[in-house]
Structures are given as C-alpha cells and as structure tokens.
Amino acid sequence: MKIIGPPATFQKRMLACRRAGKTVGFVPTMGALHDGHMSLVRRARKRCDVTAVSIFVNPLQFGPGEDLARYPRTVKRDLALCAAAGVDYVFLPAAESLYPPDFRTDVNVGGLGDALCGKSRPGHFRGVTTVVAKLLNLAQCDRAFFGQKDAQQALIVKKMVRDLNLPVVIEICPIVREKDGLAMSSRNRFLNPSERQQAVALFRAIKSAEMLVRGGERRGIRIVRAAEREIKKAPLAKIDYVELRDAENLQPVKNIGDTATLLALAVFFGKTRLIDNTVLKG
Ligand code: AMP
C-alpha cells in the first residue's frame, strides 16, 4: 500500500493507473475509519482494479463552533485497516496543500443543500462539494463510493457530478450499523456510556416508522410523530430534525406515496450530533 501526501503526486499516480488500463475505485473519508467506511472499500475492491482511499478532515465543511478541532484523528490505525483491507493507495494530504492561502474557488449545488443538515449547518455542503470536486479530480477515478448514511450528501454529490459532467460513476452503499442498530459513525466515540446506550433511539425511531408504513399508514404527520416519540424516550436526546422528504429532490413530503420518501433524522446527544435515515415507500 502506498501512502501519498502531495496532491500532484497522487493525481500522477492515479493517471498512471488509468493509462495502464486499470479501473480506479475511490473512497473519500475523513478518517477515524470504522466498518461503514470499510464496506465502501470492500465494494470498491470488488468493482475496480485499483482502490484508493483519501483521509482528510476537510476544514471547509465545518462551521464556526463545530467539532473540527476535536474531530477524531486515528491515522495510524486507519492506515493499518486500509492495508489489511487491500487498499492500494491512501491519499493523506495536508490541509495547506489542498487549500493554499490563495485558494478562492468553491463548488455549490443549489437547492438540495439548503434543507435538513444544510439548514442546521449553513455552508456545510458547499464545503463538501468543493472538497469532493477536488478529490475526484485528483483521484481520476472511474467510480467513487459514498454511504447512504449521509443521504443528503450522497444526493448532492450525485447532482454535482451530473451538473458538472464529471466523468465518474457515484455508487451509494447501504448503512452499516452496530449490533444494536446504531449507524456506525466516527462521532459515536464522543458518546459517553449513557448517551451511547440511548443513541439506539434513532434506529428505534426508524424501525417504528417503517413498521407503521408496512401496516398501511401513509400520513406523514403520524409517521414523523411516531419517530419523534421513540427519540423522546431517550432523556438525553435533543431532536434537531425529523423530516420526510422526497428521496430524489428533497422536497418536503406530506404523505407517503408511490415514490421513495426519505425519513431523515438528526439528534443531539450532548454536543454530539448523530444522523440516520431510511427510505420509505407506499
Ligand atoms: P466520513 O468519514 O464520515 O466523511 O464518511 C466517509 C464516507 O463513509 C461517506 O461516504 C459516508 O457516507 C460513509 N459512511 C460513514 N458511515 C457509514 C456507515 N455507517 N455506513 C455506510 N457508509 C458510511
């Protein structure tokens, strides 16, 4: 496994792979890797000849007062996980190399980034699309792999790729969960034992919504209320949002119909903000 810091070197290497006739699969991450990330790596390895992972905590996608400084950094362990998983290249850039002092350009996907997490975290998705555009250009990949865990991010990245005609296929992989149902996240390690225990409320909320829909409920308000009720059973939980949105365009949805509807949740446990989602269909 090769570890590469300088962006130009990474791009050159990836271009050389492509020129040698190999397909490149790319998994962008912020590190503190867990099995959710590794599921993307496994998918990339199945689909492509060469697998590249980037580890970069992107300052552009953190707002003032967010957890950029305390975001977990476990590079040594991440590299060992990547090596064991058969990753070929790890791109580990320094922030200054991606954002030199004269860096001015940003990439913004209108509309989709305003709702849900975009509302709670203004500027977040602009930071995400800017770094993902840069990383895709550097990786020169055939396919890039993202998680459904960040459903809004997945939609926005796909939209950016369509709108800008980027020559890459975006694959979205299912949410990987802990045994009790909590979606794996680098931020789970911030939870203290009682918060961790109660954090399963997000999964319970999703399950109760899915059960209602399976039982024939179509009224959005009933579904959202049921999900909220489950979350409120956890005394340490503070709801940021529980919303039903069209799973393609993120327009608000009143009642479940034949098209896919995203039930998206964001919940605070102390300072830690957890997100989760499921796709409901009538
Ligand atoms: P992050 O390091 O949190 O920026 O995540 C990097 C990629 O891993 C993103 O595409 C995430 O959606 C994906 N990811 C994070 N957690 C999970 C999970 N539990 N299951 C599947 N994919 C995940």
Side-chain angles (χ1 to χ4, degrees), residues 114-267:
D114 298 337
L116 304 174
C117 286
K119 205 163 165 191
S120 319
R121 306 182 66 187
H124 168 67
F125 286 114
R126 182 191 295 261
V128 169
T129 38
T130 301
V131 81
V132 171
K134 283 170 71 72
L135 291 170
L136 292 177
N137 279 329
L138 291 167
Q140 296 287 314
C141 52
D142 297 85
R143 291 171 180 273
F145 299 82
F146 291 82
Q148 175 64 16
K149 158 87 190 332
D150 300 274
Q152 186 175 15
Q153 168 176 287
L155 284 175
I156 289 172
V157 167
K158 284 206 308 207
K159 182 83 167 73
M160 171 184 77
V161 163
R162 270 201 309 277
D163 283 358
L164 297 181
N165 308 99
L166 301 183
V168 58
V169 175
I170 302 297
E171 282 201 37
I172 308 303
C173 306
I175 301 175
V176 177
R177 298 179 177 281
E178 302 285 357
K179 274 206 186 82
D180 66 353
L182 175 66
M184 288 191 182
S185 162
S186 305
R187 289 189 169 97
N188 289 350
R189 71 189 66 207
F190 293 144
L191 302 169
N192 68 34
S194 21
E195 289 169 342
R196 171 62 189 83
Q197 219 174 15
Q198 292 183 27
V200 71
L202 279 83
F203 181 62
R204 294 220 181 96
I206 280 172
K207 285 289 139 195
S208 73
E210 286 174 350
M211 218 158 73
L212 271 182
V213 174
R214 260 203 303 277
E217 183 60 77
R218 296 291 176 267
R219 290 164 294 183
I221 186 84
R222 292 291 174 101
I223 295 161
V224 167
R225 287 277 149 75
E228 287 175 344
R229 250 193 327 271
E230 279 305 321
I231 297 169
K232 284 176 184 160
K233 284 183 192 163
L236 298 171
K238 206 173 140 264
I239 294 176
D240 180 8
Y241 63 73
V242 176
E243 289 193 39
L244 288 174
R245 298 262 171 173
D246 183 280
E248 290 300 319
N249 59 29
L250 294 186
Q251 286 303 303
V253 166
K254 274 227 161 73
N255 298 308
I256 307 284
D258 296 334
T259 54
T261 301
L262 185 74
L263 173 68
L265 323 173
V267 178

